Amino acid sequence: PAVIDGDGCTGPMSSADFSSFMGSMKGKSFEDSKDQLARQAMKSNCFSSEQVREIMKAFQFEETRLEFAKAAYAHVYDRNNYYKVNDAFQFELSIDELNEYLEGQ
């Protein structure tokens, strides 16, 4: 597969690795710990849009979901499918804010 934006994304995290990662996420009690783990994984992996959505659903707070969605965009293999992350938001305003952010990218 093609490299995207020089990020070195040659594909999303494998299903097995992602399952293991999500197990670690669900084992964390605190929002900060989950966010830290997700951002750590993001530094050395690319995600699919669907994987980003699943990670976002593991967060309790809308603000964390939104901030992660913004940060994860640079590490997504299939940016053409990024609309799928909208399903993880509870509020329309968050979708609007994400779209506004993405337009500036």
Side-chain angles (χ1 to χ4, degrees), residues 50-89:
E50 288 179 15
Q51 288 172 336
V52 171
R53 181 182 65 207
E54 290 309 305
I55 294 166
M56 288 167 62
K57 286 180 179 179
F59 294 126
Q60 188 176 353
F61 301 112
E62 187 81 355
E63 183 64 24
T64 312
R65 290 180 184 142
L66 179 59
E67 291 309 311
F68 182 76
K70 288 177 181 179
Y73 184 70
H75 303 273
V76 167
Y77 179 67
D78 59 335
R79 291 182 181 176
N80 57 314
N81 290 323
Y82 212 61
Y83 66 89
K84 292 179 180 181
V85 306
N86 293 347
D87 294 346
F89 289 120

Side-chain angles (χ1 to χ4, degrees), residues 86-100:
N86 293 347
D87 294 346
F89 289 120
Q90 293 173 319
F91 304 109
E92 197 69 36
L93 193 61
S94 299
I95 295 170
D96 293 344
E97 192 174 326
L98 177 62
N99 285 335
E100 213 171 281

Side-chain angles (χ1 to χ4, degrees), residues 99-105:
N99 285 335
E100 213 171 281
Y101 172 81
L102 296 178
E103 284 173 16
Q105 295 304 296

Side-chain angles (χ1 to χ4, degrees), residues 9-63:
C9 281
T10 54
M13 187 185 269
S14 73
S15 295
D17 287 345
F18 188 72
S19 290
S20 172
F21 164 73
M22 286 307 292
S24 296
M25 280 282 285
K26 290 182 172 110
K28 302 285 182 208
S29 305
F30 301 106
E31 190 87 351
D32 284 350
S33 302
K34 289 180 181 183
D35 189 41
Q36 196 173 21
L37 181 67
R39 288 173 185 272
Q40 191 179 2
M42 189 168 58
K43 283 182 181 167
S44 53
N45 294 281
C46 288
F47 296 118
S48 69
S49 296
E50 288 179 15
Q51 288 172 336
V52 171
R53 181 182 65 207
E54 290 309 305
I55 294 166
M56 288 167 62
K57 286 180 179 179
F59 294 126
Q60 188 176 353
F61 301 112
E62 187 81 355
E63 183 64 24

